[in-house]
Amino acid sequence: MPTLNPEPHQHREVAESFGTDAGRYDRARPDYPAGLITRIVEAAPGPRLLDVGTGTGIAARQFAAAGCTVLGVEPDERMAGLARAGGTEVEVATFEKWEPRGRVFDAVVAAQAWHWVDPLAGAVTAAEVLRPGSRLTVFWNVFQPPPELATILADAFRRFFPEAPAFYDRPALDLYQHMIDNAGQGIIRADAFHAPEEWRTAWSRHYTRAEWLDLLPTTGGLTRVPPETRDALLADLATRIGDFTAGYTTVAVSARRR
């Protein structure tokens, strides 16, 4: 399993590996809390929204349903194609190289994607395209399995990927904290925003065993392992887990453009 240094945006090969099975990604990844979507939309001075790292359009469709006109920026043509099929306009580029061409937006968001963007360069570009008073909001769904499942998952990942960092051995929020902190520091260093705020939403979702085994290969580490290793891991887990209810915390870092 590939390992990352603490700066995921330096690993484009990982960032652009999710499109290997874009259809699975789109059907298996969860939506984002409706309350967060509403909060972002209500804070925007208008309907034009830029979705950074739009992927297959999961969040973009939620914002469109809430009344926004969404433009996605996505580096992977495979993911972008699926987003377009779902009704999202998408331009293919990394956010650092994307050309705004004088366009301005009422909100800039990134769902499960900002850690693949240089946090300072991304915040600077967001500031360039945001209307004064509008917001940059980046957010992540953080999955926390129940304790008994976490133990099983940690054991399986240790056996199949002994050289990789430990997964599921500590609270998932601990693993995300570096990315959350980086997002806030990038916003501060851009010197164009008011102080960033952190919003958290706790929720839960029930998974059948089949649903969870469908989701697991869409996670970053497993998108680049050999298919035979991935399939062996899934077969092993299929004999050891059942249905379960997972806890999620959606963490958002949001700042208003000065």
Side-chain angles (χ1 to χ4, degrees):
M1 174 180 287
T3 60
L4 301 182
N5 70 26
E7 310 307 332
H9 69 272
Q10 296 175 359
H11 297 268
R12 293 307 318 163
E13 73 284 359
V14 181
E16 296 174 25
S17 68
F18 297 96
T20 56
D21 194 347
R24 182 198 293 261
Y25 187 102
D26 193 60
R27 71 171 178 262
R29 287 291 185 109
D31 288 345
Y32 299 91
L36 175 63
I37 301 297
T38 299
R39 185 173 187 176
I40 293 169
V41 172
E42 289 182 348
R48 288 179 52 81
L49 181 142
L50 182 68
D51 184 16
V52 179
T54 198
T56 61
I58 294 171
R61 293 192 295 269
Q62 291 183 262
F63 283 111
C68 294
T69 301
V70 181
L71 174 65
V73 177
E74 168 56 45
D76 190 319
E77 180 60 58
R78 299 164 297 183
M79 303 283 272
L82 202 55
R84 292 190 190 105
T88 302
E89 181 184 355
V90 185
E91 297 179 2
V92 175
T94 63
F95 193 46
E96 294 90 339
K97 295 182 178 180
W98 172 70
E99 295 291 341
R101 302 197 304 274
R103 291 169 289 183
V104 293
F105 296 87
D106 301 301
V108 175
V109 302
Q112 217 76 22
W114 197 250
H115 53 290
W116 301 121
V117 176
D118 179 284
L120 175 56
V124 169
T125 301
E128 291 173 354
V129 302
L130 278 169
R131 300 183 192 280
S134 53
R135 282 185 172 270
L136 166 64
T137 307
V138 303
F139 50 96
W140 295 266
N141 280 338
V142 183
F143 167 84
Q144 184 60 54
E148 62 275 14
L149 177 60
T151 298
I152 293 170
L153 291 171
D155 172 70
F157 274 70
R158 279 193 298 267
R159 287 187 291 108
F160 280 88
F161 309 109
E163 303 303 318
F167 289 88
Y168 303 105
D169 282 325
R170 55 183 171 138
L173 278 169
D174 290 355
L175 300 174
Y176 276 78
Q177 194 60 53
H178 180 76
M179 299 187 298
I180 295 165
D181 292 343
N182 270 3
Q185 287 301 312
I187 290 169
I188 292 168
R189 291 173 61 201
D191 196 28
F193 294 90
H194 293 279
E197 304 168 17
E198 188 174 305
W199 307 337
R200 296 195 177 203
T201 307
W203 53 285
S204 63
R205 173 170 170 169
H206 184 77
Y207 283 97
T208 66
R209 174 172 55 194
E211 287 171 336
W212 171 243
L213 294 179
D214 196 33
L215 171 64
L216 191 58
T218 73
T219 57
L222 291 181
T223 56
R224 298 181 63 238
V225 302
E228 59 272 18
T229 303
R230 179 201 64 205
D231 292 345
L233 170 67
L234 296 178
D236 177 80
L237 289 172
T239 68
R240 303 175 65 193
I241 69 172
D243 301 351
F244 65 93
T245 298
Y248 276 94
T249 302
T250 300
V251 182
V253 178
S254 183
R256 187 162 56 89
R257 178 72 166 92
R258 287 205 299 262

